[in-house]
Every structure is written in C-alpha cells, then in structure tokens.
Amino acid sequence: MLRGMYTAVAGMITQQRKHDTITNNISNINTPGFKQGNAVSRSFPEVLISAMEGRSNATAKRIGRMNTGVLAEEDLSIYLQGDLQETGNPLDIGIVSNILKDTNGNDLPAFDKSGKYVSPEGEKIFQPQAFITVLNDQGERRYSRNGKLTVNEGGELITPEGYRVLGTNGLPVVLRDADGQLIANVKVMGNGQLLDSVNGLPLADDNGDPAALLISRVENPNRMIREGNGVYRINAEDEGGVTAAVMDEQVQLHQGYLERSNVDPTQSVVDMMAAQRAYESNQKMVQFYDKSLEKAVTEVGRV
C-alpha cells in the first residue's frame, strides 16, 4: 500500500515540475529570443516482487515486476528558430540560425523539427546554434538570443540585463566613429560588421581593426545552462564546443528585427491542462491510500 502512495506522490511532484516549466514558457511568450523548455520525465528502475511464505526455509515465489514511480529528470530547451518581428529600432538585432555544416565544412545529418538526429546506433546529435556573446557583471561570458540592445553612457552595446556585448576581438563593443567620438546609432550588416550609420564607413575596435559582433556557435546547445532572462552559460568542460560562428547563409543578422519566442501558446495550454489532470489523478490516489490506511489503523486495529 505504501509503495502505491509513494508512486502517486512521485507522479504529483513530476507533474508539478512539468506545470512549472510550462508556466515559465507561457510567461516568456513575449520575451525576444526565448527558447521554450520541455520537462523530460522518466520512470524509476523496475523491481522484482516476490511472495515469501512464513517458513524460514520457504522459497520465494516470483510475482512479477513493479514500477516505483516517475521523476522529472531534466528540462531541455527546444532551440527552434523563432519568427522575426520587425521593430524599426536600429539597435534591435534578430539572429537567423540554420547551421547544417560542421566546422570543417562537411554536411551535418538531417535534423528533425526539434533539432535532433538519432543515428542507427542510437547516438544523439543536436543541431548547433548561434548566440550573441556577452559579458556579465563578473566579466564572465554568457550567451543570448535576445537582440534588443541599447547603448550605455560609455558607448557600449548592452543587453536588457545590462550585459556588455562582445566584438570579434573579445572586448566589449564601443560605438565610436572615425574621429573617436561616441555615436548612438550604428548600421549592422548581416555578417555582424558595424558601420557608421551616417557615412557608411566601418567602425574600428581598439586595435584599429573593423569592428564586428561576436556571434558564437555552440555545438551542443543542450549542454547550456539557463540563468534566466534568456541568458545561458557554458560549463568549463564544454567550452571546447564553442567557437566563433561563420557568418554566411547559415547564420545571419537582421537589423531592425527581433527574434520572437518559439513558444507555441496553444500547445502550452493543452500541455498545462494535461499536467493538471494527471496531478489531480495522482492526488486522488493519495487520498484513497490515506483513507485505506486510516481504516487499517482505526477499524482493523480495534478488531
């Protein structure tokens, strides 16, 4: 009886976490570049059940297998390309990423709609994705698809979180014209190069080289860790899978556009209702076991 209660409680906890994931998706429908999460559940290992007779030398009679519950194992992000929405703001940058070649120029396998490929041997390969590279307040690199940028008092491009956007030289991008004067607007080319919006001349970085945004290519985006507000980080052991993206037809920037969230509101509502119904079903099972235990203690105990 207690095993059944544990199984039902595990189901309640799993559905609660799934509900939380869906709620977070819905709350970020209007967040530029947000990638929806998907709660992945798996069952605990099955166990063998045997019936034992009262004698000490009795042999166990195998009954069968029993599942001991389910758990929400992880929250995977779905990195499908979001639609571009025109804003007309020159500092809004939308990323279009459809990487189909590896770093050596060889074709990658055909990915499904979720950006995943499963080989005949069962190996999973995920489609690489491109991200804007930024620095947080501690000077650590972070990655984002939210291209709603602004300029701070120092002429640096920053994200809505105040993180500084990095250029291809690895330093924060500072908008200066050829005379070294700070400017408020800039023209962003599809390959990330920055031009003076007035005369069309390339902006230069601190080394005198043409300034351009650093767009990072992440080989396995599912190894990234969410930090909130559409910002991700990479663990030290996975940094080798992050390189500068080759800006071609596979990765392009669009000035005056923002990538919309890829959350499907209709499917999210359906999934939320399903999680709620499953939670209620498990809750009723817990109440049933609770009443059964109450009778075992109060009524059977008196007999």
Side-chain angles (χ1 to χ4, degrees):
M1 185 180 296
L2 290 178
R3 290 195 187 102
M5 178 175 286
Y6 294 152
T7 300
V9 171
M12 291 176 63
I13 295 174
T14 298
Q15 295 304 323
Q16 178 63 50
R17 292 180 177 175
K18 184 176 182 179
H19 187 276
D20 293 343
T21 299
I22 299 172
T23 302
N24 182 63
N25 290 338
I26 294 177
S27 64
N28 284 280
I29 285 180
N30 294 322
T31 301
F34 179 82
K35 302 302 179 183
Q36 74 172 25
N38 183 30
V40 179
S41 303
R42 71 173 179 87
S43 61
F44 287 107
E46 292 184 337
V47 295
L48 292 174
I49 303 178
S50 300
M52 299 291 294
E53 297 182 5
R55 302 189 308 274
S56 59
N57 60 347
T59 58
K61 181 181 179 182
R62 180 174 297 179
I63 298 177
R65 294 178 177 271
M66 184 185 73
N67 190 287
T68 54
V70 66
L71 78 157
E73 183 178 26
E74 56 185 338
D75 180 10
L76 293 179
S77 297
I78 300 178
Y79 293 94
L80 293 177
Q81 175 70 41
D83 297 331
L84 292 186
Q85 179 181 13
E86 186 175 6
T87 64
N89 186 344
L91 293 181
D92 286 345
I93 307 299
I95 299 181
V96 173
S97 173
N98 186 28
I99 301 176
L100 299 176
K101 294 183 179 295
D102 61 19
T103 54
N104 296 321
N106 301 318
D107 291 335
L108 292 172
F111 299 103
D112 59 19
K113 293 183 179 180
S114 65
K116 180 179 65 176
Y117 168 79
V118 181
S119 68
E121 295 77 22
E123 180 185 4
K124 295 181 180 179
I125 302 175
F126 296 94
Q127 184 176 22
Q129 297 292 333
F131 296 85
I132 298 173
T133 313
V134 300
L135 279 184
N136 64 7
D137 297 335
Q138 290 72 41
E140 301 167 329
R141 285 197 177 191
R142 294 295 184 263
Y143 306 91
S144 175
R145 291 286 289 239
N146 188 346
K148 192 171 184 61
L149 308 180
T150 55
V151 180
N152 63 14
E153 296 179 354
E156 298 173 322
L157 278 179
I158 59 174
T159 66
E161 298 76 33
Y163 295 170
R164 295 175 294 172
V165 179
L166 293 182
T168 52
N169 61 351
L171 299 175
V173 174
V174 181
L175 302 184
R176 292 193 182 96
D177 60 17
D179 298 326
Q181 300 298 318
L182 297 180
I183 58 177
N185 292 322
V186 66
K187 184 175 181 180
V188 182
M189 306 299 292
N191 60 1
Q193 186 178 3
L194 304 178
L195 306 179
D196 191 322
S197 59
V198 177
N199 53 32
L201 296 177
L203 300 186
D205 57 24
D206 294 339
N207 299 324
D209 299 322
L213 299 179
L214 175 58
I215 305 300
S216 294
R217 166 181 172 145
V218 180
E219 293 300 323
N220 186 356
N222 284 289
R223 296 289 297 175
M224 306 180 79
I225 301 174
R226 290 178 183 263
E227 286 195 345
N229 299 317
V231 177
Y232 302 84
R233 66 179 173 88
I234 293 286
N235 286 327
E237 61 269 21
D238 299 317
E239 290 180 352
V242 181
T243 57
V246 177
M247 305 301 293
D248 52 16
E249 67 277 1
Q250 299 181 87
V251 181
Q252 289 187 345
L253 304 183
H254 295 263
Q255 186 177 18
Y257 290 82
L258 284 177
E259 181 188 9
R260 300 178 60 184
S261 164
N262 66 356
V263 177
D264 185 340
T266 303
Q267 186 62 46
S268 295
V269 172
V270 172
D271 293 341
M272 178 180 291
M273 295 178 62
Q276 182 178 353
R277 296 292 182 268
Y279 182 92
E280 292 173 350
S281 298
N282 283 286
Q283 185 180 39
K284 290 179 180 179
M285 291 303 300
V286 171
Q287 294 172 347
F288 168 78
Y289 283 118
D290 182 62
K291 291 181 180 179
S292 299
L293 288 173
E294 181 181 359
K295 287 187 177 182
V297 173
T298 57
E299 299 179 12
V300 178
R302 286 199 301 268
V303 175

